[in-house]
Amino acid sequence: MADGNTLWHGRFAGGPSEALRALNDSLPFDRRMFKEDIAGSRAHVQMLQAVGLLDSAELSEILLALDTVEEEMEQGKFDWAESDEDIHTAVERRATELTPAAAKMHTGRSRNDQVANDVRLVAIGEIDSLTEVLAALIGALLSRAQEALEREIYLPGYTHLQRAQPVELAHHLAAYCWMFLRDIERLGDARRRADVSVLGAGALAGSSLPIDPQMVADELGFSKLFANSLDAVADRDFVADLLYSLSVLGVHISRMGEELCLWASREFNFIELDDAFSTGSSMMPQKKNPDIAELARGKAGRLIGNLTGFLTTQKGLPLTYNKDLQEDKEPLFDSCDTVRLTLVALTGMINTLGFNVEAMQSSADSPYSAATDLADFLVERGVPFRHAHATVAGLVRKSLADETELVELVQAHSDLGPEAAELLQRGSGRNRRNSHGGGGAVAVAAQLAKLSELVGALR
Ligand code: ARG
């Protein structure tokens, strides 16, 4: 280990207390941004050389040192020093040990613009990787939907968790695809907000040196450059944007998780979980538990917590950088890691689960699920919908009260009769609602074609 001097010890007579270091150091969690930090330093020193603040020999030495630092960190060989309070300090300290030229590395830069830029690069990288992971889940749902449509599987659609109207299973699965596609859009919005270079803002006010922030932005591949140095070092909106996107995604995952739990229960019995994606009970030998779906449901809590926690941290902060902003990283990392783990497990679960076709379809075949179709039958014959609704509702009431089969009542009814009674036949409701975006097989086939196009474009 190297000595215990901090970057800023020159101003101080005594060393920092242990308690201060324990609270203040961010190295335990920000070391995971070492690649982004080193990339930022490479771009920065290249710019320093271009504007004449470093000579070419110094630049080469610093770049070489940065390569070594990166390699050591990558391979877990890096000798962390007592004085390394954060990743920025550690990289610069080690580079300076490797070459004295690195003492010029921090010219025209502050950790305030440096850290903001690092976190922006992290956010962009995470968004790109999470988008891929999410696209894989959408792909899995879509291919199960295509399979379900081919197998002509239908199930009850629900409102108020009461059986409502039969729909294609493909329709139900595709609904989640659309939710997750919106999440990809939201992640894209957060990415645009993160995609702004802020290196060159200095501690808060820019620099008296002839630095060229645009060059750094271009080198790092950012689309935009900050306009106001105060805003640049104080702004963490992009972190909140990402945490929000991940919270909405978390809510979607949670809703799907709940549905999978219901479907896997013996009460519904709509799906059979693969052994590799379910768990058992230590006491009850008969149990097969949907833990992945439950965790998917539960993780929304911490995702929303990370968002509200970090918004609360920022609330009331005066311009510009305040140490409170160091609190941006842990929720960001945690939300990204949480979503990634959950999505991967859910994708495996979706890919491998079995459909209990008989249970789904017999639940959908309840004659009462055809009540709206009976009303529509009357509407097609000129009966105002309100009157049709009342007629069918009366038959349903009578059927329940007298324990008479609805089909008998329909057959006997003068405005309905045998033709209408056919609407109550097993499976006859599944392909009836083919209006745009509807749950019938024809409409669903068109929908899946559109989805495949969109999912294909993601790749
Ligand atoms: N570790 C700090 C953070 O994460 C880096 C910036 C420190 N800046 C400062 N002026 N102390 O925010």
Side-chain angles (χ1 to χ4, degrees):
M1 277 214 179
D3 71 50
N5 280 337
T6 60
L7 275 185
W8 35 267
H9 69 278
R11 153 81 176 73
F12 289 73
S17 67
E18 231 174 84
L20 172 119
R21 293 297 305 272
L23 175 66
N24 196 49
D25 288 8
S26 53
L27 186 69
F29 49 87
D30 70 14
R31 61 170 82 185
R32 85 182 240 174
M33 338 189 278
F34 75 90
K35 275 185 178 298
E36 290 79 5
D37 193 72
I38 291 171
S41 285
R42 284 197 184 104
H44 180 69
V45 293
Q46 273 157 356
M47 177 277 290
L48 291 179
Q49 191 267 327
V51 302
L53 289 165
L54 282 182
D55 64 34
S56 315
E58 289 168 327
L59 173 64
S60 320
E61 275 178 42
I62 298 175
L63 288 176
L64 210 65
L66 287 173
D67 288 347
T68 305
V69 175
E70 186 166 37
E71 215 177 281
E72 289 176 352
M73 288 186 175
E74 234 161 25
Q75 295 172 0
K77 289 189 199 140
F78 189 86
D79 192 7
W80 302 96
E82 185 48 43
S83 61
D84 295 339
E85 66 173 273
D86 55 27
I87 188 62
H88 328 292
T89 316
V91 170
E92 186 180 334
R93 189 263 310 156
R94 179 71 183 128
T96 314
E97 280 169 14
L98 291 164
T99 170
K104 290 191 174 178
M105 225 169 92
H106 212 52
T107 307
R109 180 178 80 173
S110 156
R111 276 184 299 160
N112 298 352
D113 56 349
Q114 187 179 357
V115 71
N117 224 51
D118 288 2
V119 177
R120 285 174 180 276
L121 289 174
V122 168
I124 291 171
E126 289 286 358
I127 289 168
D128 289 346
S129 114
L130 288 171
T131 300
E132 261 179 52
V133 178
L134 186 51
L137 173 59
I138 299 174
L141 283 164
L142 176 59
S143 76
R144 297 310 308 263
Q146 281 158 337
E147 172 200 334
L149 186 66
E150 253 163 60
R151 294 170 60 190
E152 305 187 345
I153 307 173
Y154 59 95
L155 81 175
Y158 292 83
T159 59
H160 312 269
L161 201 55
Q162 308 290 321
R163 289 174 194 165
Q165 292 181 312
V167 293
E168 291 292 311
L169 171 61
H171 195 45
H172 198 113
L173 297 173
Y176 284 104
C177 293
W178 294 105
M179 286 157 82
F180 292 134
L181 280 172
R182 288 198 296 279
D183 290 317
I184 287 189
E185 277 180 37
R186 249 183 298 275
L187 286 170
D189 293 341
R191 192 188 196 285
R192 269 187 291 285
R193 235 65 57 72
D195 188 12
V196 179
S197 185
V198 296
L199 254 187
L204 76 162
S207 173
S208 62
L209 299 166
I211 57 168
D212 182 353
Q214 183 64 60
M215 188 183 158
V216 175
D218 293 343
E219 177 64 28
L220 289 171
F222 280 103
S223 309
K224 285 195 194 153
L225 178 62
F226 74 96
N228 179 308
S229 62
L230 302 178
D231 183 41
V233 295
D235 172 26
R236 294 293 186 281
D237 291 358
F238 66 98
V239 175
D241 287 339
L242 179 47
L243 293 176
Y244 169 71
S245 312
L246 295 177
S247 297
V248 179
L249 170 52
V251 169
H252 291 161
I253 293 171
S254 182
R255 295 179 74 169
M256 188 167 89
E258 166 62 3
E259 216 148 53
L260 290 168
C261 289
L262 284 175
W263 286 12
S265 72
R266 284 306 115 195
E267 282 66 22
F268 272 79
N269 194 28
F270 283 3
I271 53 173
E272 195 64 44
L273 301 180
D274 188 88
D275 284 357
F277 291 92
S278 41
T279 50
S281 157
S282 55
M283 182 180 161
M284 298 167 284
Q286 85 282 14
K287 289 295 287 286
K288 190 166 178 185
N289 294 328
D291 288 31
I292 292 177
E294 293 169 85
L295 285 167
R297 187 176 58 195
K299 293 290 188 189
R302 69 199 278 168
L303 295 171
I304 297 166
N306 285 339
L307 170 66
T308 52
F310 184 58
L311 283 174
T312 312
T313 296
Q314 286 194 83
K315 158 192 177 301
L317 280 190
L319 290 177
T320 56
Y321 178 84
N322 297 275
K323 199 56 175 263
D324 316 48
L325 291 177
Q326 180 165 284
E327 293 290 309
D328 59 353
K329 284 170 275 296
E330 285 160 293
L332 176 69
F333 297 156
D334 181 63
S335 286
C336 292
D337 294 347
T338 298
V339 166
R340 179 174 295 101
L341 277 175
T342 312
L343 288 176
V344 169
L346 269 177
T347 304
M349 188 177 183
I350 296 291
N351 273 327
T352 53
L353 58 80
F355 300 133
N356 290 341
V357 178
E358 182 43 40
M360 287 186 190
Q361 300 194 159
S362 60
S363 307
D365 283 335
S366 145
Y368 300 112
S369 298
T372 314
D373 296 330
L374 291 173
D376 287 348
F377 176 91
L378 293 172
V379 166
E380 278 173 340
R381 281 147 190 83
V383 180
F385 179 74
R386 227 4 98 207
H387 301 166
H389 184 285
T391 302
V392 177
L395 294 184
V396 168
R397 185 152 41 90
K398 192 169 165 38
S399 149
L400 290 169
D402 303 353
E403 287 176 38
T404 321
E405 293 291 338
L406 183 63
V407 66
E408 288 172 27
L409 300 175
V410 170
Q411 237 146 9
H413 194 277
S414 56
D415 295 337
L416 291 161
E419 202 187 329
E422 274 176 32
L423 297 172
L424 303 183
Q425 296 255 309
R426 241 182 105 85
S428 80
R430 62 172 276 267
N431 195 18
R432 213 167 285 125
R433 274 158 291 278
N434 283 307
S435 59
H436 169 84
V442 175
V444 172
Q447 182 197 158
L448 295 194
K450 179 80 200 146
L451 259 181
S452 315
E453 224 175 87
L454 292 171
V455 172
L458 292 176
R459 298 191 183 111

